């Protein structure tokens, strides 16, 4: 194979080696990008976010609502 030769950093490099390097970089990058991340941390059941209510009545209403929704989910 007497293909095209390129002069890179003072060395002769054949075009097929450049092509293989480009393809390896491309597929390697795609494999790393699509490999996924760490699994999401499981949340503890019953853990609720903090309630930032302006009054105690509002806080009680939110707590009762969350309890009702939690029991409704268990029924389904």
């Amino acid at each position: 194979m007497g293909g095209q030769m390129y002069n890179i950093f003072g060395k002769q490099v054949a075009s097929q080696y450049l092509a293989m390097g480009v393809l390896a970089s491309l597929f390697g990058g795609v494999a790393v990008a699509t490999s996924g991340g760490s699994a999401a941390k499981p949340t503890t059941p019953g853990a609720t976010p903090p309630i930032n209510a302006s009054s105690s009545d509002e806080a009680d209403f939110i707590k009762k609502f969350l309890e009702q929704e939690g029991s409704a989910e268990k029924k389904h």
Side-chain angles (χ1 to χ4, degrees):
M1 284 189 189
Q4 179 74 31
M5 299 290 282
Y6 293 96
N7 194 8
I8 299 177
F9 296 118
K11 297 211 174 202
Q12 293 287 323
V13 180
S15 61
Q16 63 264 23
Y17 293 120
L18 291 175
M20 287 188 296
V22 167
L23 290 175
S25 299
L26 176 71
F27 289 117
V30 168
V32 168
T34 59
S35 65
S38 60
K41 296 179 181 175
T43 57
T44 57
T48 59
I51 299 172
N52 297 325
S54 58
S55 67
S56 63
D57 291 337
E58 185 179 0
D60 292 338
F61 173 76
I62 293 172
K63 288 178 186 176
K64 287 179 184 177
F65 177 77
L66 290 175
E67 288 173 4
Q68 289 174 353
E69 288 298 311
S71 64
E73 284 181 5
K74 291 178 184 175
K75 291 179 183 177
H76 291 286

